[in-house]
Amino acid sequence: MTSGNEIIPAPRAVEGPTRCGVLLDDRTTLWAAPGTETTERWLRATLGAALGLPLRTGPEQARDGVRLLVDDTMEPETYRLGVGVRQGVEIRGGDPAGVFWGAQTLRQLLGPEAFRRAPVRPGTRHGIPHQIIEDGPRFRWRGLLLDVARHFMPKEGVLRQLDLMAAHKLNVLHFHLTDDQGWRIEIARHPRLTEVGSWRPRTKFGHRASPLWDDRPHGGFYTRDDIREIVAYAADRHITVVPEIDVPGHSQAAIAAYPELGNTDVVDTRALSVWDTWGINPNVLAPTDNTLRFYEGVFEEVLDLFPSEFIHVGGDECPKDQWRASPTAQARIEELGLAGEDGLQAWFIGHFDTWLAARGRRLIGWDEILEGGLAEGAAVSSWRGRAGGIAAARAGHDVVMCPEQQVYLDHRQDGGADEPVPIGYVRGLEDVYRFEPVPPELTPDEARHVLGAQANVWTETMEDAARVDYQVFPRLAAFAEVAWSRLPAPERRDFAGFERRMAAHYERLDALGVAYRPPGGPKPWQKRPGVLGRPIEGPPPDR
């Protein structure tokens, strides 16, 4: 069993623990008040299965029982976990999500065996020391971006990622569903998006400068029912799925399926296929009424599948060369009186900003969407550094901080030669732990626009689930603590204490079967000798 001092992310306050406590066994009962049904189901299906506990329904005051209840005098997502002799275990949450996060803490208190799928010591009594834990999150947006466009992750892998997020109290899955290299969501009215756009004939292995290719076709997509299942599974874990449909750049897979979406007066779009390499692609959407109507149809189906407040539209890395050469694009600029090609992109994004707002949703996009102005309700994902987030917050827009230099988990974890496919700056466990989502330049009023933070998992060099595990963990544990816990300033954070708690957490990750990067470096089968990356030396710029 684990004490409250080994919990990740770190709780706000722990009273105790003391040696006496509660023993859970096959006689332990579970009482769940209205509003706690998702946690009740999760406890029986996950914790009960791991430890062999039936957790039968019992009376509220059962000795050594487990009680779940919502207390609306508490803040949303907060919880109070009390363990007492003859009182059992009580998880009291400010809302259903708070109760669920309390259950995640209870799981950690029970030790690594609670993270398995079946009991390894049937009939064991599981002790929890007497203690009181009071806790709640710093930020409302604690996100993970999962890029399934570059390398497809089958549905079961996505459900596993949601379980791993829940175990770390993360609550937003940013689902990057479309890009040049693949279209991953079924759209009923446009079937060629998946018939053609979800498969590529081969894949670059390593950085785009690598001479290596994987000559096997790669692809896949989620049916509408797959998406419904993923969204429902996430909701049961109090995770919101925010879909991303990337426009007007990063769109070659869509153009390959429907060539009329591209700039047909500049290039022969019928000759384009789903892109098989990495980088910034010159083939972008044409700024025509046909393109707008097409994507309105796409977004109508997306809204039907995803109930999230925010819909992500990308908006990043859109080269303007084809628009400069396109008579059609130039005519639209003149017709609308726009400020050149940058104004044309702002008009394109603005169209969907208005379109989504009319349907009760909010647009969010990468920080390039600031260029040209944004509608009042739109939000920004600040990826190129802190500057975009600072500008957005000062302009009154909500912000999610996910700067490439700090929390892009495709970046390498060490400077050693054995690091597989080394990309970008060295961002080790301590670097992520010292990430601060709120820029100090912001005033308190401006800082209120920082919804939270997000770690991004771009999968160009992550060809399978094991590679994703290696890049994401253990750094996601550090990020989760940054997003959840009220930590001191970066230079005053107790990283040595976090490392001590990680010793217990590695055992939990082992029980979950997570192929994380060991503290001592990659295991032989985690290396990728001879596969070219793109390492960048020195510290990342502070911008």
Side-chain angles (χ1 to χ4, degrees):
M1 60 188 175
T2 303
S3 75
N5 294 327
E6 293 173 317
I7 300 301
I8 289 177
R12 189 179 298 172
V14 179
E15 180 184 317
T18 61
R19 182 168 298 178
C20 297
V22 172
L23 291 174
L24 303 186
D25 57 23
D26 58 6
R27 295 171 296 178
T28 300
T29 58
L30 174 62
W31 179 84
T36 67
E37 292 84 3
T38 55
T39 302
E40 179 186 14
R41 289 195 300 268
W42 182 86
L43 281 171
R44 288 199 173 99
T46 304
L47 208 55
L51 301 177
L53 303 177
L55 296 176
R56 298 178 182 88
T57 300
E60 179 178 357
Q61 300 301 328
R63 179 188 174 101
D64 285 353
V66 178
R67 295 186 301 282
L68 309 175
L69 65 157
V70 174
D71 182 344
D72 59 12
T73 67
M74 300 168 63
E75 292 294 316
E77 292 198 273
T78 62
Y79 68 88
R80 182 183 185 275
L81 171 60
V83 182
V85 180
R86 293 185 296 276
Q87 298 172 349
V89 177
E90 179 181 280
I91 302 175
R92 181 183 296 263
D95 59 3
V99 178
F100 184 72
W101 303 133
Q104 300 307 309
T105 296
L106 173 63
R107 188 188 197 185
Q108 292 196 23
L109 294 176
L110 287 162
E113 289 184 12
F115 290 80
R116 297 189 177 276
R117 295 194 180 188
V120 293
R121 294 174 182 82
T124 302
R125 304 179 77 189
H126 305 277
I128 312 174
H130 170 87
Q131 60 197 295
I132 297 173
I133 299 175
E134 295 184 346
D135 200 8
R138 179 184 179 191
F139 294 110
R140 60 171 276 203
W141 186 302
R142 306 179 301 280
L144 177 73
L145 177 143
L146 183 60
D147 168 19
V148 295
R150 272 52 176 269
H151 277 100
F152 179 66
M153 180 176 285
K155 181 193 67 179
E156 288 301 318
V158 177
L159 301 181
R160 175 177 177 266
Q161 290 299 318
L162 290 166
D163 281 333
L164 292 172
M165 289 176 64
H168 292 83
K169 300 185 175 76
L170 300 175
N171 70 340
V172 177
L173 174 65
H174 177 163
F175 210 16
H176 185 78
L177 289 163
T178 74
D179 217 296
D180 299 302
Q181 296 86 2
W183 185 284
R184 306 296 180 211
I185 177 173
E186 178 187 27
I187 301 297
R189 73 188 71 185
H190 301 307
R192 286 176 60 83
L193 286 171
T194 46
E195 291 170 0
V196 174
S198 68
W199 290 91
R200 59 179 182 259
R202 64 174 187 169
T203 300
K204 176 67 72 173
F205 192 40
H207 183 254
R208 60 181 175 271
S210 167
L212 303 176
W213 293 90
D214 182 342
D215 287 320
R216 297 173 296 176
H218 178 85
F221 67 93
Y222 309 105
T223 67
R224 292 166 61 83
D225 281 347
D226 289 338
I227 293 291
R228 292 185 179 101
E229 180 183 356
I230 288 167
V231 169
Y233 194 86
D236 271 353
R237 286 146 185 79
H238 299 277
I239 296 171
T240 299
V241 183
V242 174
E244 180 180 353
I245 306 295
D246 215 332
V247 296
H250 288 285
S251 297
Q252 184 162 318
I255 297 168
Y258 292 93
E260 65 271 21
L261 295 174
N263 294 282
T264 57
D265 54 352
V266 177
V267 295
D268 180 6
T269 56
R270 294 170 300 177
L272 295 177
S273 59
V274 177
W275 213 26
D276 57 11
T277 189
W278 319 121
I280 299 176
N281 190 306
N283 295 299
V284 302
L285 297 174
T288 63
D289 289 341
N290 175 66
T291 300
L292 296 180
R293 301 294 89 76
F294 183 97
Y295 273 89
E296 286 171 1
V298 169
F299 280 117
E300 281 178 5
E301 296 194 27
V302 167
L303 297 190
D304 181 58
L305 294 169
F306 295 92
S308 55
E309 174 186 4
F310 290 97
I311 303 294
H312 208 291
V313 301
D316 61 317
E317 297 180 329
C318 178
K320 310 298 191 297
D321 293 343
Q322 289 184 0
W323 288 353
R324 291 188 188 98
S326 164
T328 302
Q330 293 302 310
R332 177 125 281 186
I333 290 171
E334 184 175 355
E335 170 199 345
L336 298 171
L338 302 174
E341 291 76 25
D342 288 341
L344 188 59
Q345 177 168 343
W347 165 81
F348 196 104
I349 296 296
H351 174 86
F352 287 103
D353 190 351
T354 303
W355 190 91
L356 288 168
R359 288 154 181 80
R361 306 297 185 96
R362 294 178 65 188
L363 179 145
I364 185 169
W366 302 110
D367 53 56
E368 286 97 328
I369 69 172
L370 283 167
E371 300 158 8
L374 276 180
E376 184 178 347
V380 169
S381 301
S382 185
W383 77 274
R384 291 181 293 180
R386 297 182 300 114
I390 293 170
R394 285 176 174 168
H397 294 290
D398 288 340
V399 179
V400 176
M401 297 300 294
C402 49
E404 175 185 20
Q405 304 89 343
Q406 306 297 330
V407 288
Y408 268 35
L409 300 187
D410 52 320
H411 281 213
R412 56 192 174 136
Q413 302 181 66
D414 189 85
D418 287 337
E419 206 61 29
V421 199
I423 300 295
Y425 298 100
V426 173
R427 295 284 86 189
L429 190 63
E430 183 171 0
D431 296 309
V432 175
Y433 192 67
R434 298 194 188 280
F435 166 58
E436 172 50 49
V438 178
E441 296 91 333
L442 296 179
T443 68
D445 282 343
E446 292 165 347
R448 292 189 185 98
H449 285 291
V450 178
L451 299 178
Q454 181 171 287
N456 292 349
V457 183
W458 300 106
T459 61
E460 287 95 332
T461 63
M462 301 180 214
E463 70 277 7
D464 55 31
R467 278 287 291 132
V468 172
D469 277 6
Y470 180 91
Q471 292 298 131
V472 171
F473 290 97
R475 292 184 294 182
L476 193 68
F479 172 80
E481 185 147 311
V482 167
W484 175 275
S485 306
R486 298 179 185 273
L487 299 177
E491 66 277 5
R492 295 192 290 111
R493 292 178 187 172
D494 182 11
F495 180 67
F498 176 75
E499 283 191 304
R500 285 193 295 273
R501 286 182 287 123
M502 278 301 298
H505 202 63
Y506 284 122
E507 294 184 36
R508 300 170 192 142
L509 296 177
D510 286 332
L512 286 166
V514 176
Y516 58 85
R517 182 189 188 276
K523 297 176 180 178
W525 54 88
Q526 293 175 319
K527 301 174 185 178
R528 296 291 187 276
V531 181
L532 187 67
R534 184 181 61 93
I536 304 175
E537 301 304 329
D542 183 18
R543 61 171 188 261

Coordinates of all heavy atoms in Angstrom, one line a residue, residues 315-345:
G315 N -5.4 25.5 -38.4 CA -5.0 26.9 -38.7 C -3.6 27.2 -38.8 O -3.2 28.3 -39.0
D316 N -2.7 26.2 -38.6 CA -1.3 26.4 -38.5 C -0.6 26.0 -39.8 O -1.2 25.3 -40.6 CB -0.7 25.6 -37.3 CG -0.9 24.1 -37.6 OD1 -2.0 23.7 -38.0 OD2 0.1 23.3 -37.4
E317 N 0.6 26.5 -40.0 CA 1.5 26.1 -41.0 C 0.8 26.0 -42.4 O 0.8 24.9 -43.0 CB 2.2 24.8 -40.7 CG 3.0 24.9 -39.4 CD 3.7 23.6 -39.0 OE1 3.1 22.5 -39.3 OE2 4.8 23.6 -38.4
C318 N 0.2 27.1 -42.8 CA -0.5 27.1 -44.1 C 0.4 28.0 -45.1 O 0.2 29.2 -45.1 CB -1.9 27.7 -43.9 SG -2.8 27.8 -45.5
P319 N 1.2 27.3 -45.9 CA 2.0 28.1 -46.9 C 1.0 28.8 -47.9 O 0.0 28.3 -48.3 CB 2.8 27.0 -47.6 CG 2.8 25.9 -46.7 CD 1.5 25.9 -46.0
K320 N 1.4 30.0 -48.3 CA 0.6 30.9 -49.1 C 1.0 30.9 -50.6 O 0.4 31.6 -51.4 CB 0.6 32.3 -48.6 CG 0.3 32.5 -47.1 CD -1.0 32.0 -46.7 CE -1.4 32.3 -45.3 NZ -0.5 31.8 -44.3
D321 N 2.0 30.1 -51.0 CA 2.5 30.1 -52.4 C 1.4 29.8 -53.4 O 1.3 30.5 -54.4 CB 3.7 29.1 -52.5 CG 4.9 29.5 -51.7 OD1 4.9 30.7 -51.3 OD2 5.8 28.7 -51.5
Q322 N 0.6 28.8 -53.2 CA -0.4 28.4 -54.2 C -1.5 29.6 -54.2 O -2.0 29.9 -55.3 CB -1.0 27.1 -53.8 CG -0.1 25.9 -54.1 CD -0.8 24.6 -53.8 OE1 -2.0 24.5 -53.5 NE2 0.0 23.5 -54.0
W323 N -1.8 30.2 -53.1 CA -2.8 31.3 -53.2 C -2.2 32.5 -53.9 O -2.9 33.2 -54.7 CB -3.1 31.7 -51.8 CG -4.0 30.7 -51.1 CD1 -4.6 29.6 -51.6 CD2 -4.4 30.7 -49.7 NE1 -5.3 28.9 -50.6 CE2 -5.3 29.6 -49.5 CE3 -4.2 31.6 -48.6 CZ2 -5.8 29.3 -48.2 CZ3 -4.7 31.3 -47.4 CH2 -5.6 30.2 -47.2
R324 N -0.9 32.7 -53.8 CA -0.3 33.8 -54.5 C -0.4 33.6 -56.0 O -0.5 34.6 -56.8 CB 1.2 34.0 -54.1 CG 1.3 34.5 -52.7 CD 2.8 34.9 -52.3 NE 2.9 35.2 -50.9 CZ 3.3 34.3 -50.0 NH1 3.7 33.1 -50.4 NH2 3.4 34.7 -48.7
A325 N -0.2 32.3 -56.4 CA -0.2 32.0 -57.8 C -1.6 31.7 -58.4 O -1.8 31.6 -59.6 CB 0.6 30.8 -58.1
S326 N -2.6 31.7 -57.5 CA -4.0 31.3 -58.0 C -4.8 32.5 -58.3 O -5.1 33.3 -57.5 CB -4.7 30.5 -56.8 OG -6.0 30.4 -57.0
P327 N -5.3 32.6 -59.6 CA -6.2 33.6 -60.0 C -7.5 33.6 -59.1 O -8.1 34.6 -58.8 CB -6.5 33.4 -61.4 CG -5.3 32.6 -61.9 CD -4.9 31.8 -60.8
T328 N -8.0 32.4 -58.8 CA -9.2 32.2 -58.0 C -9.0 32.9 -56.6 O -9.8 33.6 -56.1 CB -9.6 30.8 -57.8 OG1 -9.8 30.2 -59.1 CG2 -10.8 30.6 -57.0
A329 N -7.9 32.5 -56.0 CA -7.6 33.1 -54.6 C -7.4 34.6 -54.7 O -7.9 35.3 -53.8 CB -6.3 32.4 -54.1
Q330 N -6.7 35.1 -55.7 CA -6.5 36.5 -55.8 C -7.8 37.3 -56.1 O -8.0 38.4 -55.6 CB -5.5 36.8 -56.9 CG -4.0 36.3 -56.7 CD -3.5 36.9 -55.4 OE1 -3.5 38.1 -55.2 NE2 -3.0 36.0 -54.5
A331 N -8.7 36.7 -56.8 CA -10.0 37.3 -57.1 C -10.8 37.4 -55.8 O -11.5 38.4 -55.5 CB -10.8 36.5 -58.1
R332 N -10.7 36.3 -54.9 CA -11.4 36.4 -53.6 C -10.8 37.4 -52.7 O -11.6 38.1 -52.0 CB -11.3 35.0 -53.0 CG -11.9 34.9 -51.6 CD -13.0 33.8 -51.5 NE -14.3 34.2 -52.1 CZ -15.4 33.4 -52.0 NH1 -15.3 32.3 -51.4 NH2 -16.5 33.8 -52.6
I333 N -9.5 37.6 -52.7 CA -8.9 38.7 -51.9 C -9.4 40.0 -52.4 O -9.8 40.9 -51.5 CB -7.3 38.6 -52.1 CG1 -6.8 37.3 -51.3 CG2 -6.7 39.8 -51.5 CD1 -5.3 37.1 -51.6
E334 N -9.5 40.2 -53.7 CA -9.9 41.5 -54.2 C -11.4 41.7 -53.9 O -11.9 42.8 -53.5 CB -9.7 41.6 -55.7 CG -10.1 43.0 -56.3 CD -9.7 43.0 -57.7 OE1 -9.0 42.1 -58.3 OE2 -10.0 44.1 -58.4
E335 N -12.2 40.6 -54.1 CA -13.6 40.7 -53.9 C -14.0 41.1 -52.4 O -14.9 41.9 -52.2 CB -14.3 39.4 -54.2 CG -15.7 39.2 -53.8 CD -16.1 37.7 -53.7 OE1 -15.4 36.8 -54.2 OE2 -17.2 37.4 -53.1
L336 N -13.2 40.5 -51.5 CA -13.5 40.8 -50.1 C -12.7 41.9 -49.5 O -12.9 42.3 -48.3 CB -13.2 39.5 -49.3 CG -14.1 38.3 -49.6 CD1 -13.6 37.0 -48.9 CD2 -15.5 38.5 -49.3
G337 N -11.8 42.5 -50.3 CA -11.0 43.6 -49.8 C -10.1 43.2 -48.7 O -9.9 44.0 -47.7
L338 N -9.5 42.0 -48.8 CA -8.6 41.5 -47.7 C -7.2 42.0 -47.9 O -6.7 42.4 -48.9 CB -8.6 40.0 -47.8 CG -10.0 39.3 -47.7 CD1 -9.9 37.8 -47.9 CD2 -10.6 39.6 -46.3
A339 N -6.5 41.9 -46.7 CA -5.1 42.3 -46.7 C -4.2 41.1 -47.1 O -3.5 40.5 -46.3 CB -4.7 42.8 -45.3
G340 N -4.2 40.8 -48.4 CA -3.3 39.8 -49.0 C -3.7 38.4 -48.5 O -4.8 38.1 -48.0
E341 N -2.7 37.5 -48.7 CA -2.9 36.1 -48.4 C -3.1 35.8 -46.9 O -3.9 34.9 -46.5 CB -1.8 35.2 -49.0 CG -1.7 35.2 -50.5 CD -1.2 36.5 -51.1 OE1 -0.4 37.2 -50.4 OE2 -1.5 36.8 -52.3
D342 N -2.4 36.6 -46.1 CA -2.7 36.4 -44.6 C -4.1 36.8 -44.3 O -4.7 36.1 -43.4 CB -1.7 37.3 -43.8 CG -0.2 36.7 -43.9 OD1 -0.1 35.5 -44.2 OD2 0.7 37.5 -43.6
G343 N -4.6 37.8 -44.9 CA -6.0 38.2 -44.7 C -7.0 37.1 -45.2 O -8.0 36.9 -44.6
L344 N -6.6 36.4 -46.2 CA -7.4 35.3 -46.8 C -7.5 34.2 -45.8 O -8.6 33.6 -45.6 CB -6.8 34.9 -48.1 CG -7.7 33.9 -48.9 CD1 -9.0 34.5 -49.2 CD2 -6.9 33.5 -50.2
Q345 N -6.4 33.8 -45.1 CA -6.5 32.8 -44.1 C -7.3 33.2 -42.9 O -8.1 32.4 -42.4 CB -5.1 32.4 -43.6 CG -5.1 31.3 -42.5 CD -3.8 30.7 -42.2 OE1 -2.9 30.8 -43.0 NE2 -3.8 30.0 -41.1

